[in-house]
Amino acid sequence: MTRVLGTVAAVAALVLSAGCTNDSDDPSSAGKASGGGTEKVTYLTGASILGREAFVFVAIEKGYFKQAGLEVEVQAGKGTAPNLTLLQSGKVDFAALDITAALIEYGKGTFKDFTIVNAIQQRNLQCIMTLEGRGITSPKDLAGKKIAYLPGGVAKTLFPAYAKLAGIDESKIQWVNIPLEQHPQNVAAGTVDAATQFAVGKPGIERVGKGKKAVVLPYTDFLTDLYGVGVGVAKKQVTENPDRIRRFNEALLKGLRDAIENPAEAGKIYAKYQKIQPEPVAIAENNLMVPYVKSAAGGAAVGALDPQRVARNIAIVQGAGVIPSVFDPLDVVSVDFLPKS
């Protein structure tokens, strides 16, 4: 902890002032695409397209993107690393990224050409999940167990840091590569003992669990103060299409605000656009999303992103030995595109 706190102080000293300096922030330009036409853009979800992604469909259904001069195509993501590959290649315009995983990828030098423009979740959702009766009630019980994971997903990336702090013998874990949407069925069938999951995935696990309750082991019990998912763009888009980023961000965050204010409506809208999860499960996931989206202090706006807190996130993963050194948080986040309060 002394090492981590020292690193936090060192990283915080790197943070620059992040004021908005672009004159195109004028609200009167909101809803107007460059040249007056509708722009088609692609948005990549975090992993699969489950109920927790309802907010993007809320923004589509209520016309927020249309008002911003955008036509959004939603594509299924496959985790932070694959999403970054598609984002940097220019094959998608916007991509959901786990902020902590993205910081790790940047710190390792794997991906550099991206920036994160909001924080969909103020708290990280990563966890290990199973059903009761599997002999897993604490992190240490995971030793010797089979755990389903999504390649490229942040849960597997963060696991070494989590294991180190939680006292798990990582060498005894048996990892099984299974698509995310198939995790609940495999846990229920006993093909695996547990699975990497988002905490809001509890309703999906319990739905196929034949009356058994889910056992959730959140990473944030040990890796505290980490952000959840944010939206990333390629860095060249910051100079080439700054107004489009602002318009997209404002419309998406309107959909997010509506989704947490009315989770039942969000679940119904999700079910209109997607059939991967039934409406009741989507509604339950959106109910669970509320405390993760809202600031713990209750004062920050939906989507808020604080460079000082990003600095602490960098320090936590560096202090846990996941990345070799710290870096300026403004190398990987841009706060200028957040809606003005």
Side-chain angles (χ1 to χ4, degrees):
M1 182 59 68
T2 301
R3 179 185 178 191
V4 170
L5 291 176
T7 308
V8 169
V11 177
L14 294 173
V15 182
L16 306 176
S17 60
C20 299
T21 58
N22 195 308
D23 292 338
S24 63
D25 282 337
D26 185 350
S28 65
S29 67
K32 298 179 181 178
S34 301
T38 300
E39 297 176 87
K40 293 184 178 181
V41 298
T42 51
Y43 170 74
L44 201 58
T45 66
S48 188
I49 308 180
L50 303 178
R52 68 204 65 151
E53 304 279 358
F55 57 89
V56 68
F57 298 110
V58 172
I60 292 172
E61 177 72 10
K62 295 193 173 185
Y64 296 149
F65 286 126
K66 185 176 180 180
Q67 293 165 16
L70 300 171
E71 180 182 336
V72 178
E73 177 190 352
V74 180
Q75 298 179 3
K78 295 184 178 180
T80 295
N83 283 9
L84 279 168
T85 298
L86 291 172
L87 188 68
Q88 292 193 167
S89 70
K91 293 181 179 179
V92 296
D93 301 298
F94 300 90
L97 308 170
D98 185 280
I99 294 174
T100 306
L103 294 174
I104 292 171
E105 297 291 355
Y106 186 93
K108 289 181 175 179
T110 314
F111 296 95
K112 292 286 188 179
D113 182 26
F114 72 93
T115 188
I116 297 168
V117 297
N118 65 34
I120 298 297
Q121 293 133 10
Q122 298 296 312
R123 292 166 52 205
N124 197 281
L125 276 71
Q126 302 303 317
C127 69
I128 302 295
M129 197 176 298
T130 187
L131 291 167
E132 61 186 6
R134 298 296 171 81
I136 300 174
T137 58
S138 71
K140 291 182 179 180
D141 295 330
L142 295 174
K145 300 296 193 296
K146 292 182 180 179
I147 303 178
Y149 77 103
L150 175 69
V154 64
K156 181 69 161 55
T157 303
L158 277 179
F159 191 83
Y162 170 70
K164 180 179 179 180
L165 295 173
I168 303 167
D169 186 348
E170 187 185 359
S171 66
K172 295 182 179 180
I173 300 294
Q174 300 177 58
W175 294 103
V176 184
N177 178 353
I178 297 176
L180 182 66
E181 56 269 22
Q182 296 177 20
H183 284 190
Q185 290 83 355
N186 279 270
V187 171
T191 308
V192 294
D193 301 298
T196 58
Q197 278 285 305
F198 294 91
V200 295
K202 183 179 178 182
I205 292 280
E206 292 183 338
R207 175 174 172 266
V208 297
K210 299 179 180 180
K212 294 183 178 180
K213 296 294 183 181
V215 176
V216 183
L217 304 176
Y219 283 17
T220 50
D221 284 350
F222 297 90
L223 295 167
T224 58
D225 201 33
L226 298 181
Y227 276 113
V229 168
V231 171
V233 300
K235 284 184 176 178
K236 67 178 182 178
Q237 296 299 323
V238 172
T239 54
E240 294 179 1
N241 296 295
D243 181 61
R244 186 174 73 178
I245 296 172
R246 288 186 180 85
R247 287 184 282 116
F248 180 91
N249 224 8
E250 182 176 352
L252 185 73
L253 294 179
K254 282 182 180 179
L256 181 61
R257 283 194 292 270
D258 286 0
I260 64 169
E261 290 300 324
N262 195 337
E265 177 189 58
K268 290 178 181 178
I269 291 174
Y270 166 85
K272 177 180 176 180
Y273 287 83
Q274 293 290 323
K275 305 302 179 185
I276 297 175
Q277 286 184 322
E279 183 180 308
V281 174
I283 291 173
E285 283 208 358
N286 279 278
N287 271 304
L288 290 173
M289 275 273 285
V290 175
Y292 288 91
V293 172
K294 289 186 175 180
S295 168
V302 169
L305 191 58
D306 178 11
Q308 292 282 356
R309 187 175 169 201
V310 175
R312 296 197 296 272
N313 282 202
I314 295 169
I316 288 169
V317 295
Q318 193 275 337
V322 181
I323 57 176
S325 59
V326 298
F327 49 88
D328 189 332
L330 293 181
D331 288 342
V332 288
V333 301
S334 300
V335 298
D336 291 351
F337 301 103
L338 290 168
K340 290 183 176 180
S341 56

